[in-house]
Amino acid sequence: MAKRSTLFIRIVEGKNLPIKDITGSSDPYCIVKIDNEAIIRTATIWKTLSPFWGEEYTVHLSPYFRTVSFYVLDEDSLSRDDVIGKASISREVLAAKPQGVDGWMNLTEIDPDEEVQGEIHLQISVLGDGDIPRKLCCQVLEARDLAKKDRNGASDPFVRVRYNGKTHESAVVKKSCYPRWNEIFEFELDEALADSLLSVEVWDWDLVSRNDFLGKVLFNINKLQSAQQEEGWFRLGPDKSKHSEYEGTLGSLRLQLRLRDEVVLPSSHYKPLTELLSQSVGSQLNGNWPDFIMLIDETTTAESRQEVANNLVKLFLGQGLVKEFLDVLFKLELDKTTEPNTLFRSNSLASKSMESFLKVAGMQYLHRLLGPIINRIFEEKKYVELDPSKVELKEAGCAGLHRQQTESDIIQQSSSLLQSYLSELLTSILQSASYCPLLICQAFHQLYLRVQKRFPDPEYRKVKFIAVTSFLCLRFISPAIMSPKLFHLREKHADARTSRTLLLLAKAVQTIGNMDTISCCSKEPWMVCLQPAIQQGITQLKDFITKLVNCHESEDLELQTRMSLQCGTMEKEGFLLLHRTKDKCMPMTSPFKKYYVTLCKDTLSYSRTQHSKKSSSISLPKIRAVEKVEEKCFGNANVMQIISSEDSGQQETLYLDCKSVNELNHWLSALRKACSHNTNTMSCYHPGIYKADRWSCCHQKEKSDQGCDKTRHGVTLQEWYDPLDPDLEAQLIYQHLSSVQHAMRDKYFKLREQQGVQEADSVRDQKKADGLSNLFSILQDLHDAHAAVEEEERLKNKNFFLELQT
C-alpha cells in the first residue's frame, strides 16, 4: 500500500510588481519551495512588471508537508538577485478545498523571523512523586535542516529554553545546520500555574551582530503532566507574525493549486474494476453492457473532465485497450453531432481524451517533428511581423549602410521568412508518417473511418480530414509551437521577438489545419501574403493524413513498432560534473570532472563523451539513497549525491554537480522513481561530506554514523516520460466514480425511460442493469478496503501513543 500526496501547481502570472532595475522595470522569476526546500524555478520574464509564466508542475511528496511558498525574485546579471516578495499557503488550506485554489495572492515582505525551517529532537518529562517537589526536565538532543544564516552556508546554533520566568541556554555548535547537543535542563514545576508553557527556541549565535532567530516550539505543561513524558522530532515554527508595511505594495501572483491525497491499495483490489471497464469497452458496441463510458461522459463536470480523461487514457493504455476506448468516444461524439463544423470543437470527454492520448503517446514524436524548426527560430531571433499596425521600425534595424528599413521591407522579409519556416515544417510533417507511433496512426485511422461513415455526402468530403487535423494541428502541434517550454521542447520561454514569430507560425498551422484560407484572410487580411503557401500546405496535409491513416497497412510494421511509444521505459541523459568517492576523504581542490551521464532501465552509467565507451556504471538496485548536498560543501546549492552499496558491503558515494535547481530536481526525481522498488534504502543520511576526519554537517567523527537528516525518497516531479502506474490510475478512477455514482444511476434510468424498453429488449436491458449493479458493488468493496486501512492506521497511532505514555 502506497500513501502520498500529489500537488498540482500552475504559476499563471504576476501583476503590479515593484521596479527593481534602473531601466524602470524588473526581470521576475519564481522559486517554489515545499517546507523551505526549493523544487522549482520558473523561467525569467524579461523587462516586465506584469509577467506571464503559465507553467504547470505536478509534485509527488510526503503527506506530512506543511507549507508551499512562492518567492518572486528579480534576476540580475552582475549582482545578487533581488527578492521582491513571497506568497505562502498551508497544507490545511489546500486540504480544505479539494476542488483547488485559483486566484490572486498578494506578495508580502520576507521577514527573517518567519523564514524558519527544520526540526528539533526533544525529550520532555515531569519527574518526582509524592512529597518530593516535581521537576520539569527538558533534554535537548539534536536538530536537523536548520536555516542557513551565515555567509559560510551554515549557522552557529544554540538552544534557549524558557519556563516560568527562568531561562537556560545550551552550548553553541559552530558551522552546522545539523547540531547535536544532548544537554539536559531542569526547572522547578510550578503546580499553581493554570496555563504554563515551556518554550524551546533555537538561535544562530553571532559575534558582532544580533543573534538570528531559527525557530521555536511551545509545549503546554498541563497536558504534559498527564502523559508524564513526550519525546520526538518537533517542527520549528516562526515567531508571531508581524504586519508588513509593504503588504499590498509588492504586487500579486495568480496561482492555481490543488492537493490530492492518495492511498493506493495492492493491485488485487483494483482488478475487478479494471476488468469490468475493459469488458465494457470491448463489448459496448454490441450493446450487451451498460454504456459506462457514456454515463461517465454525461456525469463528469467540465472542471474535472481533463483529469478524468487523462486517467482513463492511461488506464486503457496499460490494459492495451486505448484504441477501443477512443473508438467508443468517437462514436458517442458523432452520434451527438449534427453540424460537421462543430465536430470535436467542444471540450468533451472525447476531445480531452484524444488530447491526453497524444501527449502521453506522442511526445517523442512531437520532439522529433518540431525540435529542428523550433531550435532554428530560437537561434536566428529574426524580427518577424506581418500586421502593419504592429510593425516597429526600430526593432527591425537597418537594411544596409545608413538606410532605415521601411514598413513594406519588413513585411516582405517577414513573409519570406515565415514561408521558409512553414515550408520546413510541412516537409517535416510529410516525412513524419514513417516514424509516427503506430498506436497514434491506428487511432487516427479509426477516427477517419468513423467520420467518413457519419458524413458520407460529397459536400462533407473535407470533414474526415478536418477531424484528424483538429487534434493533430489545433490541439497538439500548434500549441507546442506557441509554447515550446510547456511541451519540453525548450528549457526557457521565448523572448518577445521569438514569441511573435512562433505565434505567426502557429496561426499559419491552425489555418492549414482548418483547411479554410478564406475565413482566416477575412479576419486577418494581413495574412493574405501567406495564402499561396497555406493553400499548398493544405494539399500536402491531405496527402500526409492519407498516408497516416493507412500506415497500419504498410509492410514496414517493424519500423512502426520500433518507433511507437514504449510506456514504462525511463531514460535520462546529459553532461554533468561528477565525482566518485569510496573511503577517500574529499580533496581540497575541485574534484569534479565532466561526464556524459545516462540513466537507463537498470543502470546509471557515465562516459567522457556521448558516444565513447562507458567509464563506469552503478546498478540501480544497489542505490540506497539519492539526496541533495549542503551548499557549503562545494559552494554550490545544486549538488546531489547517490549513495550505493557494493557486493562487499562497502558504501560508495557519487556526487553530481548540476547547472540549475531545475536540472537538480529533474535528476533527483528520475533516479528516485527508477529506484522506487529498491528494498535496501536508507532512512537517514548525511547532507554534508566526510572531510578532515568528520562529517561537515553534524561534526560526527564516525564515518559509519547512520546520518543526521531523513531521506526524501517520495519527493519527485512528474514528467511526461514517466512509466504508467496502473494501480494509481485505477485508484483515481475509483475516486471519481464514487463521487458520481448517484448521478450515474439517475442518468441511466432517465435514459432508459427516454428510450423506452421494449419487451424484446428486456433480457439485454437486464444485463445492463446487472452490469451497473456490479460496478456499484465493486466501488463499495473498494470503499470498505480503504476504511479498513484507515482503521488500521488509527489503531497503530493509538497504540504508539499508549506505548509512549507507559
Side-chain angles (χ1 to χ4, degrees):
M1 183 190 69
K3 184 177 182 181
R4 70 178 185 187
S5 293
T6 296
L7 181 63
F8 302 92
I9 300 173
R10 186 165 189 257
I11 305 169
V12 186
E13 58 184 321
K15 66 178 181 182
N16 302 327
L17 300 183
I19 297 171
K20 290 292 182 178
D21 298 337
I22 58 174
T23 58
S25 187
S26 291
D27 305 314
Y29 67 93
C30 286
I31 293 284
V32 183
K33 292 186 178 182
I34 306 288
D35 290 339
N36 296 99
E37 181 178 359
I39 58 167
I40 294 165
R41 184 204 192 276
T42 69
T44 300
I45 309 298
W46 303 98
K47 299 179 181 179
T48 180
L49 301 179
S50 299
F52 178 84
W53 288 284
E55 297 188 20
E56 298 179 4
Y57 302 91
T58 301
V59 187
H60 304 299
L61 66 167
S62 162
Y64 308 109
F65 79 95
R66 297 291 185 90
T67 309
V68 186
S69 299
F70 299 83
Y71 293 77
V72 181
L73 296 93
D74 166 61
E75 183 169 337
D76 287 324
S77 303
L78 302 177
S79 60
R80 183 186 293 269
D81 294 350
D82 300 315
V83 179
I84 294 175
K86 79 166 187 173
S88 298
I89 188 166
S90 67
R91 190 194 192 285
E92 288 72 21
V93 173
L94 292 170
K97 298 182 178 180
Q99 76 282 3
V101 175
D102 182 356
W104 290 93
M105 297 180 66
N106 286 334
L107 296 175
T108 59
E109 184 188 16
I110 295 177
D111 184 350
D113 287 348
E114 292 184 14
E115 295 297 296
V116 301
Q117 65 183 67
E119 299 171 305
I120 187 167
H121 188 187
L122 302 170
Q123 184 185 78
I124 303 169
S125 55
V126 176
L127 306 176
D129 199 4
D131 299 331
I132 303 174
R134 295 203 294 171
K135 291 185 177 182
L136 176 64
C137 178
C138 177
Q139 183 175 5
V140 180
L141 298 167
E142 57 187 321
R144 62 189 180 195
D145 196 26
L146 298 179
K148 305 167 185 64
K149 295 292 185 179
D150 298 337
R151 289 186 177 182
N152 58 19
S155 290
D156 304 319
F158 69 94
V159 177
R160 185 177 291 160
V161 186
R162 303 175 188 269
Y163 173 71
N164 196 20
K166 295 182 179 179
T167 303
H168 291 299
E169 289 187 357
S170 72
V172 176
V173 179
K174 294 291 188 69
K175 299 179 182 179
S176 176
C177 293
Y178 299 84
R180 294 185 180 182
W181 292 284
N182 199 19
E183 296 187 34
I184 298 175
F185 305 104
E186 292 184 351
F187 300 89
E188 295 290 336
L189 188 65
D190 192 341
E191 308 278 0
L193 283 176
D195 190 17
S196 56
L197 293 175
L198 174 72
S199 172
V200 180
E201 302 172 356
V202 185
W203 292 81
D204 167 51
W205 177 82
D206 284 319
L207 178 64
V208 179
S209 59
R210 72 178 186 89
N211 297 333
D212 299 310
F213 180 72
L214 295 177
K216 71 177 181 180
V217 186
L218 295 175
F219 296 91
N220 188 310
I221 301 305
N222 292 334
K223 292 181 180 179
L224 180 66
Q225 289 187 62
S226 59
Q228 294 297 312
Q229 181 174 302
E230 189 166 355
E231 180 183 356
W233 285 94
F234 301 94
R235 184 171 291 276
L236 294 168
D239 207 350
K240 289 183 179 180
S241 298
K242 304 169 186 176
H243 179 73
S244 173
E245 60 181 302
Y246 297 101
E247 191 168 353
T249 64
L250 299 176
S252 52
L253 203 59
R254 188 186 170 198
L255 303 168
Q256 294 174 351
L257 308 169
R258 185 164 59 86
L259 178 67
R260 184 179 71 201
D261 290 323
E262 301 159 354
V263 178
V264 181
L265 302 171
S267 300
S268 57
H269 289 275
Y270 300 110
K271 189 175 180 181
L273 178 61
T274 54
E275 286 181 350
L276 184 65
L277 291 174
S278 299
Q279 290 169 356
S280 69
V281 167
S283 309
Q284 194 164 29
L285 297 179
N286 61 29
N288 289 330
W289 280 81
D291 301 330
F292 285 141
I293 304 302
M294 182 195 66
L295 292 174
I296 293 173
D297 186 17
E298 295 285 343
T299 55
T300 302
T301 61
E303 292 77 17
S304 60
R305 194 168 291 139
Q306 181 68 73
E307 184 181 355
V308 172
N310 197 42
N311 296 334
L312 287 169
V313 163
K314 289 183 177 180
L315 178 78
F316 286 115
L317 263 173
Q319 298 299 314
L321 291 168
V322 72
K323 291 183 298 181
E324 290 77 4
F325 166 64
L326 292 171
D327 196 33
V328 170
L329 291 177
F330 296 154
K331 183 178 183 299
L332 290 173
E333 185 82 1
L334 286 163
D335 289 344
K336 293 187 291 186
T337 304
T338 56
E339 176 56 51
N341 293 334
T342 63
L343 184 61
F344 298 117
R345 295 306 170 103
S346 65
N347 289 322
S348 62
L349 186 64
S351 298
K352 291 295 185 182
S353 296
M354 192 62 181
E355 190 177 325
S356 293
F357 168 68
L358 288 173
K359 289 180 179 178
V360 174
M363 197 63 80
Q364 292 176 348
Y365 164 73
L366 184 76
H367 283 205
R368 182 171 175 179
L369 173 68
L370 292 183
I373 185 64
I374 294 295
N375 290 336
R376 177 188 166 190
I377 293 171
F378 268 78
E379 289 164 7
E380 290 182 353
K381 293 186 178 180
K382 299 283 188 179
Y383 179 70
V384 177
E385 185 55 75
L386 298 179
D387 187 352
S389 65
K390 294 184 177 180
V391 171
E392 296 184 13
L393 299 178
K394 63 179 181 180
E395 283 287 329
C398 297
L401 188 63
H402 306 304
R403 191 176 79 82
Q404 187 76 23
Q405 290 192 92
T406 64
E407 182 182 288
S408 176
D409 292 336
I410 294 170
I411 292 175
Q412 185 177 357
Q413 289 176 11
S414 298
S415 175
S416 300
L417 200 55
L418 273 175
Q419 289 183 54
S420 171
Y421 292 150
L422 190 58
S423 174
E424 181 180 335
L425 177 59
L426 288 169
T427 301
S428 297
I429 291 175
L430 284 171
Q431 294 172 350
S432 72
S434 63
Y435 60 82
C436 182
L438 181 61
L439 208 52
I440 292 179
C441 297
Q442 292 171 337
F444 280 135
H445 173 73
Q446 291 175 159
L447 174 62
Y448 185 89
L449 294 182
R450 285 278 180 196
V451 176
Q452 189 177 43
K453 183 179 178 181
R454 176 68 178 82
F455 298 103
D457 299 337
E459 61 189 287
Y460 299 134
R461 61 183 178 275
K462 288 199 306 185
V463 176
K464 56 182 178 288
F465 293 103
I466 295 174
V468 175
T469 59
S470 66
F471 291 115
L472 186 63
C473 294
L474 275 61
R475 292 177 180 264
F476 195 42
I477 294 177
S478 188
I481 293 172
M482 284 192 289
S483 303
K485 186 180 188 298
L486 302 186
F487 285 77
H488 315 286
L489 286 158
R490 298 288 297 188
E491 289 187 4
K492 295 183 178 181
H493 285 299
D495 57 26
R497 175 181 287 196
T498 306
S499 292
R500 182 60 180 170
T501 305
L502 294 171
L503 177 62
L504 292 172
L505 181 61
K507 279 179 177 287
V509 172
Q510 287 174 346
T511 305
I512 293 172
N514 287 323
M515 297 191 173
D516 184 7
T517 58
I518 298 173
S519 61
C520 171
C521 294
S522 62
K523 292 178 183 177
E524 296 170 326
W526 41 267
M527 289 281 287
V528 72
C529 59
L530 295 180
Q531 191 165 359
I534 290 172
Q535 193 63 54
Q536 183 183 359
I538 292 173
T539 305
Q540 291 175 311
L541 196 60
K542 284 183 178 179
D543 294 340
F544 166 72
I545 291 171
T546 303
K547 288 182 182 178
L548 193 69
V549 299
N550 292 316
C551 71
H552 67 290
E553 300 172 355
S554 171
E555 295 179 359
D556 192 13
L557 286 178
E558 184 181 348
L559 173 64
Q560 285 291 335
T561 305
R562 189 166 68 247
M563 288 305 302
S564 61
L565 175 78
Q566 300 296 318
C567 295
T569 61
M570 179 186 297
E571 183 170 318
K572 186 171 178 62
E573 56 190 359
F575 280 105
L576 292 172
L577 294 174
L578 184 149
H579 174 68
R580 192 169 189 168
T581 177
K582 293 184 181 180
D583 286 333
K584 297 178 294 184
C585 291
M586 196 62 59
M588 297 297 290
T589 57
S590 176
F592 290 96
K593 294 180 180 179
K594 191 174 182 180
Y595 285 90
Y596 192 83
V597 184
T598 304
L599 172 63
C600 295
K601 185 178 179 181
D602 300 315
T603 59
L604 177 75
S605 58
Y606 51 92
S607 56
R608 282 295 187 181
T609 64
Q610 183 176 358
H611 304 291
S612 62
K613 184 180 178 181
K614 303 299 180 187
S615 300
S616 186
S617 64
I618 301 173
S619 174
L620 294 185
K622 294 182 179 180
I623 293 178
R624 303 190 62 200
V626 182
E627 299 294 336
K628 295 181 180 179
V629 178
E630 279 191 299
E631 180 178 0
K632 70 176 184 179
C633 298
F634 301 106
N636 184 359
N638 301 318
V639 178
M640 58 181 283
Q641 57 180 313
I642 302 169
I643 305 170
S644 60
S645 57
E646 297 181 338
D647 295 333
S648 62
Q650 184 180 6
Q651 192 164 286
E652 185 174 329
T653 304
L654 179 70
Y655 295 97
L656 274 67
D657 188 352
C658 303
K659 294 191 292 288
S660 65
V661 64
N662 283 349
E663 185 178 58
L664 169 69
N665 283 298
H666 286 151
W667 274 100
L668 280 170
S669 294
L671 280 160
R672 284 171 177 171
K673 284 180 281 194
C675 302
S676 60
H677 298 294
N678 289 7
T679 55
N680 192 28
T681 55
M682 299 167 63
S683 60
C684 50
Y685 79 107
H686 286 286
I689 56 175
Y690 193 75
K691 188 175 181 180
D693 295 327
R694 68 174 186 173
W695 287 101
S696 63
C697 43
C698 57
H699 300 171
Q700 296 304 301
K701 295 185 177 181
E702 277 293 327
K703 190 174 184 183
S704 59
D705 186 82
Q706 64 176 349
C708 54
D709 198 6
K710 56 186 177 182
T711 52
R712 297 167 176 82
H713 302 290
V715 181
T716 59
L717 292 171
Q718 184 170 301
E719 302 284 1
W720 62 269
Y721 51 76
D722 283 351
L724 297 176
D725 188 342
D727 294 340
L728 174 60
E729 304 308 331
Q731 166 64 21
L732 297 176
I733 291 169
Y734 152 69
Q735 289 178 342
H736 175 71
L737 293 178
S738 296
S739 67
V740 299
Q741 62 176 319
H742 297 299
M744 288 178 69
R745 182 187 285 111
D746 295 343
K747 190 69 179 178
Y748 171 73
F749 287 114
K750 185 177 179 181
L751 291 171
R752 187 168 174 265
E753 290 173 6
Q754 290 174 353
Q755 295 168 356
V757 180
Q758 303 297 323
E759 188 173 342
D761 295 331
S762 59
V763 175
R764 180 178 293 178
D765 185 69
Q766 185 59 45
K767 285 185 178 180
K768 290 185 176 184
D770 291 344
L772 200 63
S773 299
N774 191 17
L775 172 65
F776 294 152
S777 175
I778 290 170
L779 296 180
Q780 184 60 47
D781 290 344
L782 283 168
H783 176 271
D784 294 343
H786 278 281
V789 169
E790 290 178 5
E791 179 63 17
E792 183 181 347
E793 190 76 15
R794 189 186 66 80
L795 290 174
K796 188 187 296 183
N797 292 335
K798 182 180 179 181
N799 292 334
F800 172 77
F801 286 116
L802 287 173
E803 290 175 8
L804 194 63
Q805 289 177 4
T806 56

